[in-house]
Amino acid sequence: MKKNIINGLLVGAGVILYHYFAHGTINWARGLGIAVITTILMIVFDKLRK
């Protein structure tokens, strides 16, 4: 469970960094949104696999 949350946050941080390098601005809303969605998806997939 904790691993899923960490992975989700890493994906969100990656998106924020990518957006920063690509556009020169930090899009916190998009990064956090993707982090939350990724975390939820990972938790759901974890439950489905068991």
Side-chain angles (χ1 to χ4, degrees):
M1 180 80 174
K2 194 173 272 182
K3 182 188 71 178
N4 290 329
I5 294 169
I6 292 168
N7 284 343
L9 289 175
L10 285 174
V11 170
V15 168
I16 291 171
L17 282 174
Y18 168 76
H19 198 272
Y20 179 71
F21 287 122
H23 304 288
T25 57
I26 292 182
N27 190 336
W28 291 108
R30 177 182 283 175
L32 288 172
I34 290 174
V36 168
I37 291 166
T38 306
T39 305
I40 292 169
L41 285 176
M42 286 180 176
I43 291 168
V44 169
F45 281 131
D46 241 28
K47 295 226 184 306
L48 289 175
R49 255 186 287 157
K50 286 178 179 142

